[in-house]
Amino acid sequence: MSPTSPDAGAPRRILHVFRAPVGGLFRHVVDLTRLQAGAGHAVGLICDAGTGGARAERTLAELAPQLALGVLRVPMRRNPDPGDLAALRAVARRAETVGAEVLHGHGAKGGVYARLAPVRGAAGAPGGGPIRAYTPHGGSYNYRPGSLLHRLYMGVEALLARRTDVFLFESAYVAGRHRAYVGAGRTVTRVVHNGIDEAEFVPVVRADDPFDLVYVGELREAKGLPVLLDALAALHGAGRPLSLLMVGSGPDEAALAARAARLGLGAAVAFEPAQPIRPVLARGRVMVVPSFAESLPYVVLEAAAAAQPLVATDVGGIPEIFGEAAGELVPPRDPLALAEAIARLLDEAPAAREARFRALSEAVRARFSMRSMGESVLSGYEAGFRARASRGPAPAAGRRGPASA
Protein backbone atom coordinates (compact mmCIF):
# COMPACT_ATOMS: atom_id res chain seq x y z
CA MET A 1 0.00 0.00 0.00
CA SER A 2 1.35 3.39 -0.97
CA PRO A 3 0.14 6.98 -0.73
CA THR A 4 -0.93 6.79 -4.36
CA SER A 5 -2.91 3.55 -3.99
CA PRO A 6 -6.45 3.98 -5.32
CA ASP A 7 -7.77 2.50 -2.04
CA ALA A 8 -5.80 4.85 0.20
CA GLY A 9 -7.99 7.93 -0.31
CA ALA A 10 -6.89 11.39 0.78
CA PRO A 11 -4.39 11.60 3.65
CA ARG A 12 -6.41 11.29 6.86
CA ARG A 13 -5.87 11.93 10.56
CA ILE A 14 -6.69 8.61 12.26
CA LEU A 15 -6.95 7.72 15.96
CA HIS A 16 -7.15 4.06 16.94
CA VAL A 17 -8.89 3.56 20.30
CA PHE A 18 -8.63 0.28 22.22
CA ARG A 19 -8.26 -0.90 25.78
CA ALA A 20 -5.46 -3.42 26.31
CA PRO A 21 -2.20 -3.31 24.31
CA VAL A 22 -1.90 -7.11 24.33
CA GLY A 23 -2.70 -10.07 22.11
CA GLY A 24 -4.10 -10.24 18.62
CA LEU A 25 -6.08 -7.01 18.89
CA PHE A 26 -2.90 -5.07 19.67
CA ARG A 27 -1.06 -6.76 16.84
CA HIS A 28 -3.89 -5.76 14.48
CA VAL A 29 -3.70 -2.12 15.58
CA VAL A 30 0.11 -2.08 15.29
CA ASP A 31 -0.03 -3.56 11.78
CA LEU A 32 -2.67 -1.05 10.69
CA THR A 33 -0.69 1.81 12.18
CA ARG A 34 2.43 0.89 10.21
CA LEU A 35 0.46 0.39 6.99
CA GLN A 36 -1.46 3.65 7.35
CA ALA A 37 1.57 5.72 8.34
CA GLY A 38 3.45 4.22 5.38
CA ALA A 39 0.60 5.29 3.11
CA GLY A 40 0.94 8.92 4.22
CA HIS A 41 -1.76 9.12 6.88
CA ALA A 42 -1.27 10.72 10.31
CA VAL A 43 -1.97 8.10 12.96
CA GLY A 44 -2.28 8.08 16.75
CA LEU A 45 -3.24 5.60 19.47
CA ILE A 46 -5.33 5.80 22.65
CA CYS A 47 -5.21 2.84 25.04
CA ASP A 48 -5.23 1.80 28.68
CA ALA A 49 -2.48 3.06 30.96
CA GLY A 50 -2.30 0.00 33.20
CA THR A 51 -2.03 -3.09 30.97
CA GLY A 52 0.52 -4.56 28.59
CA GLY A 53 3.57 -4.29 30.82
CA ALA A 54 7.11 -3.92 29.52
CA ARG A 55 6.37 -5.70 26.25
CA ALA A 56 3.69 -3.16 25.31
CA GLU A 57 5.96 -0.30 26.34
CA ARG A 58 8.70 -1.59 24.01
CA THR A 59 6.29 -2.00 21.10
CA LEU A 60 4.85 1.48 21.56
CA ALA A 61 8.34 2.98 21.81
CA GLU A 62 9.36 1.26 18.55
CA LEU A 63 6.17 2.52 16.90
CA ALA A 64 6.52 6.11 18.17
CA PRO A 65 8.41 7.52 15.14
CA GLN A 66 5.44 6.54 12.93
CA LEU A 67 2.80 8.06 15.23
CA ALA A 68 2.30 11.61 14.00
CA LEU A 69 -0.65 11.97 16.40
CA GLY A 70 1.19 10.36 19.32
CA VAL A 71 0.08 7.93 22.02
CA LEU A 72 -2.34 8.72 24.85
CA ARG A 73 -2.65 6.23 27.71
CA VAL A 74 -5.53 6.71 30.12
CA PRO A 75 -7.10 4.39 32.72
CA MET A 76 -9.62 2.03 31.10
CA ARG A 77 -11.42 -0.77 32.94
CA ARG A 78 -12.40 -4.03 31.25
CA ASN A 79 -16.00 -3.87 32.53
CA PRO A 80 -18.37 -0.88 32.73
CA ASP A 81 -17.06 1.54 35.33
CA PRO A 82 -17.69 5.15 36.47
CA GLY A 83 -14.17 5.93 35.21
CA ASP A 84 -15.47 5.43 31.67
CA LEU A 85 -16.79 9.01 31.74
CA ALA A 86 -13.28 10.38 32.31
CA ALA A 87 -11.92 8.15 29.57
CA LEU A 88 -14.61 9.38 27.15
CA ARG A 89 -13.68 12.99 27.91
CA ALA A 90 -9.99 12.18 27.38
CA VAL A 91 -10.71 10.56 24.00
CA ALA A 92 -12.81 13.55 22.95
CA ARG A 93 -10.16 16.08 24.00
CA ARG A 94 -7.44 14.18 22.16
CA ALA A 95 -9.54 13.87 19.01
CA GLU A 96 -10.24 17.61 19.04
CA THR A 97 -6.63 18.54 19.80
CA VAL A 98 -5.18 16.53 16.91
CA GLY A 99 -8.06 17.22 14.51
CA ALA A 100 -8.93 13.55 14.11
CA GLU A 101 -11.00 12.70 11.05
CA VAL A 102 -11.35 9.00 11.90
CA LEU A 103 -11.96 7.46 15.32
CA HIS A 104 -11.47 3.72 14.89
CA GLY A 105 -12.51 1.70 17.93
CA HIS A 106 -11.22 -1.84 18.46
CA GLY A 107 -12.80 -4.34 20.84
CA ALA A 108 -15.91 -3.75 22.91
CA LYS A 109 -14.47 -1.04 25.18
CA GLY A 110 -12.55 0.75 22.44
CA GLY A 111 -15.72 0.66 20.35
CA VAL A 112 -17.69 2.37 23.10
CA TYR A 113 -15.11 5.12 23.55
CA ALA A 114 -14.62 5.76 19.83
CA ARG A 115 -18.32 5.96 19.11
CA LEU A 116 -19.58 7.83 22.18
CA ALA A 117 -16.76 10.35 22.71
CA PRO A 118 -18.48 13.75 22.33
CA VAL A 119 -16.11 15.30 19.81
CA ARG A 120 -17.04 18.73 18.55
CA GLY A 121 -17.00 19.38 14.81
CA ALA A 122 -13.71 18.73 13.00
CA ALA A 123 -12.93 20.43 9.74
CA GLY A 124 -11.91 17.26 7.95
CA ALA A 125 -15.14 15.32 8.40
CA PRO A 126 -18.26 16.06 6.33
CA GLY A 127 -21.15 16.89 8.60
CA GLY A 128 -18.87 17.78 11.52
CA GLY A 129 -16.85 15.50 13.78
CA PRO A 130 -14.79 12.46 12.84
CA ILE A 131 -16.32 9.37 11.31
CA ARG A 132 -16.62 6.48 13.73
CA ALA A 133 -15.31 3.05 12.64
CA TYR A 134 -15.63 -0.13 14.70
CA THR A 135 -13.85 -3.50 14.62
CA PRO A 136 -15.25 -5.80 17.36
CA HIS A 137 -12.50 -8.49 17.53
CA GLY A 138 -15.14 -10.88 18.91
CA GLY A 139 -15.75 -9.30 22.29
CA SER A 140 -19.43 -8.95 23.18
CA TYR A 141 -20.46 -10.92 20.08
CA ASN A 142 -19.00 -14.09 21.62
CA TYR A 143 -21.47 -14.35 24.51
CA ARG A 144 -23.85 -17.31 24.32
CA PRO A 145 -26.97 -16.31 22.35
CA GLY A 146 -30.02 -16.08 24.58
CA SER A 147 -28.04 -15.45 27.76
CA LEU A 148 -28.72 -12.33 29.81
CA LEU A 149 -25.30 -10.85 29.01
CA HIS A 150 -25.74 -11.55 25.30
CA ARG A 151 -29.12 -9.79 25.21
CA LEU A 152 -27.72 -6.88 27.19
CA TYR A 153 -24.63 -6.39 25.03
CA MET A 154 -26.50 -6.83 21.76
CA GLY A 155 -28.95 -4.15 22.94
CA VAL A 156 -25.99 -1.85 23.61
CA GLU A 157 -24.53 -2.67 20.18
CA ALA A 158 -27.86 -1.81 18.56
CA LEU A 159 -27.77 1.62 20.21
CA LEU A 160 -24.11 2.17 19.31
CA ALA A 161 -24.80 1.21 15.69
CA ARG A 162 -26.55 4.57 15.38
CA ARG A 163 -23.21 6.21 16.18
CA THR A 164 -21.22 4.08 13.71
CA ASP A 165 -20.24 5.20 10.20
CA VAL A 166 -18.53 1.95 9.18
CA PHE A 167 -18.29 -1.56 10.63
CA LEU A 168 -15.04 -3.34 9.75
CA PHE A 169 -15.64 -6.91 10.90
CA GLU A 170 -12.52 -9.09 11.05
CA SER A 171 -14.47 -12.26 10.20
CA ALA A 172 -17.61 -13.27 8.37
CA TYR A 173 -18.59 -15.08 11.56
CA VAL A 174 -18.80 -11.88 13.64
CA ALA A 175 -20.48 -10.04 10.76
CA GLY A 176 -23.12 -12.79 10.70
CA ARG A 177 -23.63 -12.52 14.45
CA HIS A 178 -24.12 -8.77 14.06
CA ARG A 179 -26.75 -9.27 11.35
CA ALA A 180 -28.55 -11.92 13.38
CA TYR A 181 -28.65 -10.19 16.76
CA VAL A 182 -28.26 -6.47 16.04
CA GLY A 183 -29.64 -6.14 12.51
CA ALA A 184 -28.27 -5.18 9.13
CA GLY A 185 -29.16 -1.48 9.27
CA ARG A 186 -27.86 1.03 6.74
CA THR A 187 -24.35 1.48 8.12
CA VAL A 188 -21.45 0.71 5.77
CA THR A 189 -20.30 -2.83 6.58
CA ARG A 190 -17.16 -4.61 5.39
CA VAL A 191 -15.51 -7.92 6.29
CA VAL A 192 -11.77 -7.25 6.48
CA HIS A 193 -9.83 -10.36 7.42
CA ASN A 194 -6.69 -10.02 9.53
CA GLY A 195 -3.61 -10.12 7.32
CA ILE A 196 -0.24 -11.87 7.58
CA ASP A 197 3.13 -10.52 6.48
CA GLU A 198 5.11 -12.44 3.84
CA ALA A 199 7.94 -13.13 6.30
CA GLU A 200 5.55 -15.17 8.45
CA PHE A 201 5.24 -17.84 5.77
CA VAL A 202 8.81 -19.01 6.28
CA PRO A 203 8.57 -22.42 8.00
CA VAL A 204 9.96 -22.56 11.52
CA VAL A 205 13.03 -24.69 12.22
CA ARG A 206 12.15 -27.20 14.92
CA ALA A 207 14.16 -26.83 18.13
CA ASP A 208 16.10 -29.71 19.61
CA ASP A 209 14.04 -31.82 22.03
CA PRO A 210 10.74 -29.91 21.49
CA PHE A 211 7.63 -30.18 23.64
CA ASP A 212 4.95 -32.42 22.15
CA LEU A 213 2.28 -29.72 22.39
CA VAL A 214 2.35 -25.94 22.63
CA TYR A 215 -0.33 -23.37 23.45
CA VAL A 216 0.10 -19.62 22.89
CA GLY A 217 -2.40 -17.04 24.13
CA GLU A 218 -4.31 -15.74 27.11
CA LEU A 219 -4.47 -17.96 30.16
CA ARG A 220 -8.20 -17.88 30.78
CA GLU A 221 -10.94 -20.50 30.90
CA ALA A 222 -12.70 -19.21 27.75
CA LYS A 223 -9.64 -20.26 25.75
CA GLY A 224 -10.53 -23.88 26.52
CA LEU A 225 -7.44 -24.57 28.62
CA PRO A 226 -9.17 -26.75 31.25
CA VAL A 227 -10.33 -28.95 28.36
CA LEU A 228 -6.78 -29.06 27.00
CA LEU A 229 -5.47 -30.22 30.37
CA ASP A 230 -8.21 -32.85 30.58
CA ALA A 231 -7.29 -34.05 27.08
CA LEU A 232 -3.63 -34.25 28.08
CA ALA A 233 -4.59 -36.29 31.15
CA ALA A 234 -6.59 -38.66 28.93
CA LEU A 235 -3.57 -39.09 26.65
CA HIS A 236 -1.37 -39.83 29.66
CA GLY A 237 -3.93 -42.38 30.85
CA ALA A 238 -3.80 -44.05 27.43
CA GLY A 239 -0.04 -44.49 27.72
CA ARG A 240 1.02 -41.35 25.85
CA PRO A 241 2.94 -39.15 28.34
CA LEU A 242 2.99 -36.01 26.19
CA SER A 243 4.49 -32.71 27.33
CA LEU A 244 2.83 -29.29 27.00
CA LEU A 245 4.28 -25.76 26.91
CA MET A 246 1.77 -23.02 27.75
CA VAL A 247 2.95 -19.51 26.81
CA GLY A 248 1.00 -16.44 27.84
CA SER A 249 -0.51 -14.63 30.81
CA GLY A 250 -3.97 -14.15 32.18
CA PRO A 251 -6.23 -14.27 35.22
CA ASP A 252 -6.51 -18.07 35.37
CA GLU A 253 -2.81 -18.98 35.37
CA ALA A 254 -2.76 -20.09 39.02
CA ALA A 255 -5.99 -22.07 38.62
CA LEU A 256 -4.61 -23.83 35.54
CA ALA A 257 -1.36 -24.73 37.30
CA ALA A 258 -3.39 -26.13 40.21
CA ARG A 259 -5.58 -28.15 37.82
CA ALA A 260 -2.51 -29.58 36.09
CA ALA A 261 -1.15 -30.65 39.49
CA ARG A 262 -4.47 -32.29 40.50
CA LEU A 263 -4.47 -34.23 37.22
CA GLY A 264 -0.96 -35.48 37.89
CA LEU A 265 0.48 -33.38 35.06
CA GLY A 266 2.74 -31.11 37.11
CA ALA A 267 5.92 -32.44 35.50
CA ALA A 268 4.39 -32.53 32.01
CA VAL A 269 3.20 -28.91 31.78
CA ALA A 270 5.47 -25.85 31.67
CA PHE A 271 4.25 -22.24 31.91
CA GLU A 272 6.16 -19.32 30.38
CA PRO A 273 5.26 -15.62 29.99
CA ALA A 274 4.07 -14.07 26.72
CA GLN A 275 6.75 -13.85 24.02
CA PRO A 276 7.02 -13.72 20.19
CA ILE A 277 5.19 -16.66 18.66
CA ARG A 278 7.61 -18.00 16.03
CA PRO A 279 10.35 -19.10 18.46
CA VAL A 280 7.62 -20.72 20.56
CA LEU A 281 6.25 -22.63 17.56
CA ALA A 282 9.72 -24.03 16.98
CA ARG A 283 9.63 -25.52 20.49
CA GLY A 284 6.49 -27.60 19.92
CA ARG A 285 5.64 -30.47 17.59
CA VAL A 286 1.93 -29.56 17.51
CA MET A 287 0.16 -26.32 18.39
CA VAL A 288 -3.24 -26.65 20.09
CA VAL A 289 -5.98 -23.98 20.06
CA PRO A 290 -8.84 -25.36 22.22
CA SER A 291 -10.93 -22.15 22.42
CA PHE A 292 -14.64 -22.01 23.25
CA ALA A 293 -15.08 -18.83 21.15
CA GLU A 294 -12.95 -16.79 18.76
CA SER A 295 -13.27 -14.22 16.02
CA LEU A 296 -10.32 -14.62 13.65
CA PRO A 297 -7.36 -15.44 15.92
CA TYR A 298 -3.91 -14.32 14.85
CA VAL A 299 -2.29 -17.29 16.59
CA VAL A 300 -4.08 -19.64 14.18
CA LEU A 301 -3.15 -17.49 11.18
CA GLU A 302 0.48 -17.28 12.32
CA ALA A 303 0.77 -21.01 12.98
CA ALA A 304 -0.95 -21.92 9.70
CA ALA A 305 1.26 -19.51 7.75
CA ALA A 306 4.37 -21.15 9.24
CA ALA A 307 3.03 -24.61 8.25
CA GLN A 308 2.95 -25.58 11.94
CA PRO A 309 1.01 -28.81 12.65
CA LEU A 310 -2.14 -27.53 14.32
CA VAL A 311 -5.21 -28.81 16.18
CA ALA A 312 -7.97 -26.24 16.69
CA THR A 313 -11.64 -26.09 17.63
CA ASP A 314 -14.50 -25.41 15.24
CA VAL A 315 -15.50 -22.00 16.61
CA GLY A 316 -15.87 -18.44 15.36
CA GLY A 317 -13.82 -17.53 12.32
CA ILE A 318 -11.36 -20.44 12.60
CA PRO A 319 -13.17 -22.35 9.79
CA GLU A 320 -12.59 -19.27 7.57
CA ILE A 321 -8.85 -19.75 8.09
CA PHE A 322 -8.92 -23.51 7.45
CA GLY A 323 -11.12 -23.15 4.37
CA GLU A 324 -11.45 -26.50 2.60
CA ALA A 325 -9.70 -28.18 5.54
CA ALA A 326 -12.32 -26.98 8.07
CA GLY A 327 -13.59 -30.54 8.45
CA GLU A 328 -10.43 -31.29 10.46
CA LEU A 329 -11.50 -28.94 13.25
CA VAL A 330 -12.56 -30.32 16.64
CA PRO A 331 -15.82 -29.66 18.57
CA PRO A 332 -15.19 -27.31 21.53
CA ARG A 333 -15.56 -28.44 25.16
CA ASP A 334 -14.86 -32.08 24.27
CA PRO A 335 -11.59 -33.33 25.85
CA LEU A 336 -11.83 -36.82 24.34
CA ALA A 337 -12.34 -35.46 20.81
CA LEU A 338 -9.40 -33.11 21.37
CA ALA A 339 -7.21 -35.95 22.65
CA GLU A 340 -8.11 -38.12 19.66
CA ALA A 341 -7.31 -35.32 17.20
CA ILE A 342 -3.92 -34.74 18.84
CA ALA A 343 -3.11 -38.46 18.75
CA ARG A 344 -4.11 -38.75 15.08
CA LEU A 345 -1.92 -35.84 14.11
CA LEU A 346 1.11 -37.14 16.02
CA ASP A 347 0.63 -40.60 14.48
CA GLU A 348 0.35 -39.31 10.92
CA ALA A 349 3.22 -40.06 8.56
CA PRO A 350 5.63 -37.07 8.70
CA ALA A 351 5.61 -36.53 4.92
CA ALA A 352 1.79 -36.53 4.76
CA ARG A 353 1.55 -34.19 7.75
CA GLU A 354 4.07 -31.78 6.25
CA ALA A 355 2.28 -31.75 2.89
CA ARG A 356 -1.09 -31.11 4.52
CA PHE A 357 0.05 -28.12 6.54
CA ARG A 358 2.11 -26.74 3.67
CA ALA A 359 -1.13 -26.73 1.64
CA LEU A 360 -2.89 -24.88 4.47
CA SER A 361 -0.03 -22.33 4.53
CA GLU A 362 -0.42 -21.66 0.81
CA ALA A 363 -4.20 -21.26 1.18
CA VAL A 364 -3.67 -18.72 3.97
CA ARG A 365 -1.12 -16.87 1.82
CA ALA A 366 -3.72 -16.51 -0.94
CA ARG A 367 -6.55 -15.27 1.31
CA PHE A 368 -5.06 -13.33 4.25
CA SER A 369 -2.77 -10.64 2.86
CA MET A 370 -1.63 -7.83 5.15
CA ARG A 371 -1.56 -5.44 2.19
CA SER A 372 -5.17 -6.31 1.36
CA MET A 373 -6.16 -5.79 5.00
CA GLY A 374 -4.63 -2.31 5.08
CA GLU A 375 -6.15 -1.21 1.79
CA SER A 376 -9.58 -2.60 2.70
CA VAL A 377 -9.64 -0.70 6.01
CA LEU A 378 -8.77 2.58 4.26
CA SER A 379 -11.36 1.87 1.59
CA GLY A 380 -13.89 1.30 4.38
CA TYR A 381 -13.06 4.68 5.90
CA GLU A 382 -13.63 6.37 2.55
CA ALA A 383 -16.97 4.61 2.16
CA GLY A 384 -17.85 5.90 5.63
CA PHE A 385 -16.97 9.46 4.59
CA ARG A 386 -19.13 9.16 1.47
CA ALA A 387 -22.05 7.76 3.45
CA ARG A 388 -21.68 10.53 6.06
CA ALA A 389 -21.73 13.18 3.35
CA SER A 390 -24.90 11.72 1.85
CA ARG A 391 -26.89 11.43 5.08
CA GLY A 392 -25.34 13.95 7.48
CA PRO A 393 -23.62 13.28 10.82
CA ALA A 394 -24.54 10.47 13.20
CA PRO A 395 -26.83 11.36 16.14
CA ALA A 396 -25.09 13.48 18.74
CA ALA A 397 -23.75 11.73 21.83
CA GLY A 398 -24.58 14.69 23.99
CA ARG A 399 -23.11 18.04 24.90
CA ARG A 400 -20.09 18.65 27.03
CA GLY A 401 -18.11 21.54 28.33
CA PRO A 402 -15.04 23.21 26.91
CA ALA A 403 -12.12 21.07 25.78
CA SER A 404 -10.23 21.98 28.95
CA ALA A 405 -12.98 20.58 31.17
Side-chain angles (χ1 to χ4, degrees):
M1 186 168 55
S2 68
T4 58
S5 167
D7 290 326
R12 298 293 186 185
R13 302 179 70 79
I14 304 163
L15 280 179
H16 293 283
V17 186
F18 57 102
R19 188 183 67 85
V22 298
L25 185 155
F26 187 37
R27 182 209 155 132
H28 180 77
V29 172
V30 169
D31 286 346
L32 280 182
T33 295
R34 289 176 172 145
L35 290 165
Q36 290 170 352
H41 303 275
V43 186
L45 307 180
I46 303 177
C47 62
D48 178 42
T51 53
R55 191 176 180 195
E57 293 285 356
R58 287 194 300 271
T59 301
L60 291 171
E62 292 168 1
L63 200 60
Q66 301 177 65
L67 292 172
L69 306 187
V71 178
L72 175 65
R73 303 195 69 176
V74 298
M76 298 179 180
R77 301 295 295 271
R78 182 184 183 91
N79 295 314
D81 184 84
D84 290 338
L85 294 175
L88 279 169
R89 288 195 294 270
V91 171
R93 283 197 296 270
R94 185 66 157 204
E96 292 173 2
T97 299
V98 303
E101 298 170 85
V102 178
L103 275 178
H104 188 163
H106 300 264
K109 208 57 178 284
V112 169
Y113 293 149
R115 292 181 287 176
L116 287 186
V119 184
R120 295 178 293 192
I131 66 161
R132 318 295 177 115
Y134 178 42
T135 300
H137 298 274
S140 56
Y141 290 90
N142 281 337
Y143 284 101
R144 181 173 57 83
S147 66
L148 177 61
L149 281 175
H150 183 263
R151 292 196 300 270
L152 172 63
Y153 281 113
M154 292 302 96
V156 171
E157 289 293 348
L159 292 173
L160 290 174
R162 300 178 58 210
R163 291 278 302 165
T164 309
D165 294 286
V166 55
F167 286 102
L168 298 169
F169 295 110
E170 67 280 18
S171 68
Y173 168 79
V174 175
R177 283 239 164 170
H178 180 82
R179 287 193 302 272
Y181 300 110
V182 177
R186 298 174 58 191
T187 304
V188 175
T189 300
R190 303 281 176 88
V191 174
V192 181
H193 284 136
N194 298 330
I196 295 292
D197 187 72
E198 189 61 28
E200 295 173 271
F201 290 92
V202 177
V204 297
V205 177
R206 198 69 55 214
D208 294 334
D209 192 24
F211 287 81
D212 297 301
L213 309 176
V214 63
Y215 166 83
V216 180
E218 280 191 287
L219 301 182
R220 63 172 62 246
E221 184 177 357
K223 293 298 183 178
L225 300 181
V227 173
L228 174 56
L229 292 175
D230 289 348
L232 184 62
L235 289 162
H236 277 235
R240 303 187 69 135
L242 304 182
S243 58
L244 167 64
L245 173 61
M246 301 183 75
V247 175
S249 61
D252 296 334
E253 181 173 356
L256 291 167
R259 188 186 191 96
R262 286 197 305 273
L263 292 169
L265 300 173
V269 181
F271 291 85
E272 293 186 7
Q275 54 198 277
I277 187 172
R278 283 181 64 83
V280 176
L281 293 178
R283 297 171 61 197
R285 297 168 62 200
V286 171
M287 180 171 175
V288 185
V289 181
S291 298
F292 299 159
E294 289 286 356
S295 178
L296 198 83
Y298 269 104
V299 291
V300 176
L301 280 172
E302 290 163 329
Q308 172 80 7
L310 176 66
V311 174
T313 46
D314 186 6
V315 297
I318 294 179
E320 296 171 51
I321 299 173
F322 271 67
E324 294 181 357
E328 301 167 6
L329 297 171
V330 180
R333 303 177 185 273
D334 188 336
L336 292 181
L338 185 63
E340 290 169 2
I342 291 168
R344 281 196 306 272
L345 187 54
L346 288 171
D347 290 343
E348 188 174 5
R353 183 170 60 234
E354 181 180 346
R356 191 151 59 85
F357 285 96
R358 172 51 53 196
L360 178 58
S361 175
E362 291 304 318
V364 166
R365 186 198 299 269
R367 294 182 292 119
F368 296 92
S369 156
M370 188 179 292
R371 177 187 176 92
S372 175
M373 177 187 75
E375 291 182 344
S376 295
V377 167
L378 291 174
S379 176
Y381 294 164
E382 295 308 310
F385 278 109
R386 291 192 296 271
R388 167 76 71 84
S390 68
R391 71 173 183 268
R399 298 180 181 275
R400 69 180 189 89
S404 60

